[in-house]
Amino acid sequence: MSNVELIKKFYHAFKNNDQETYLALCDENIEWQLADGMPNGGKFVGKDAVFNEYFPKMLSNFKEFHAIPEHISNMKDHIMVTGKYHGISNTGKSFDVSFSHVYHIQDNKIVKFRQFTDTDRIQESLN
């Protein structure tokens, strides 16, 4: 599978809560780096830290939170995805915020993720 196909499969599996698939696409020691100011953000290392620590805590702030990819750019062992976050916080405030995600792929596994987004707009929805 190409790196672009791998990332498309990752987004599809995550959206559909197909944990078995999205975990299989990630390296055991994946590094997940969030933009400064992302709710419950920071740097997380390992599948357990990313998917059992970061995501449940971050998503607990929202009634809805969607990452909608719009464009995928192939840069050999890196893939850049641009798109929009759409969500509704627990306070009832909605947001639409652009993002860029950069993935590093080795041996058909996601080994690193880096997020770029306007965290102020997301934080504003929490108040």
Side-chain angles (χ1 to χ4, degrees):
M1 141 175 41
S2 76
N3 289 345
V4 169
E5 290 168 333
L6 184 148
I7 294 302
K8 285 180 179 179
K9 188 173 182 177
F10 179 79
Y11 278 96
H12 180 76
F14 199 83
K15 176 183 175 187
N16 291 298
N17 203 25
D18 180 356
Q19 186 176 28
E20 183 179 342
T21 298
Y22 68 71
L23 288 176
L25 297 172
C26 296
D27 185 79
E28 195 63 40
N29 296 308
I30 188 169
E31 292 182 21
W32 202 266
Q33 179 70 50
L34 289 307
D36 290 341
M38 190 67 184
N40 302 96
K43 182 178 180 180
F44 296 84
V45 178
K47 287 183 193 181
D48 187 56
V50 173
F51 297 105
N52 294 326
E53 184 180 332
Y54 166 66
F55 274 109
K57 287 180 183 175
M58 188 279 288
L59 293 173
S60 72
N61 294 291
F62 303 96
K63 294 177 185 177
E64 288 185 39
F65 191 96
H66 307 283
I68 303 163
E70 296 173 342
H71 184 74
I72 299 175
S73 299
N74 188 356
M75 301 177 290
K76 296 185 182 180
D77 64 348
H78 287 78
I79 299 292
M80 182 151 96
V81 179
T82 55
K84 294 266 187 195
Y85 289 129
H86 170 73
I88 302 171
S89 72
N90 290 337
T91 64
K93 296 178 185 173
S94 63
F95 59 89
D96 285 295
V97 181
S98 296
F99 69 74
S100 292
H101 295 163
V102 178
Y103 295 88
H104 183 193
I105 300 169
Q106 290 179 331
D107 301 322
N108 289 315
K109 299 280 186 184
I110 300 168
V111 295
K112 290 184 182 178
F113 165 88
R114 183 82 192 261
Q115 174 201 53
F116 302 89
T117 192
D118 183 351
T119 58
D120 287 345
R121 299 231 351 249
I122 295 170
Q123 287 286 350
E124 286 169 10
S125 77
L126 300 177
N127 301 318

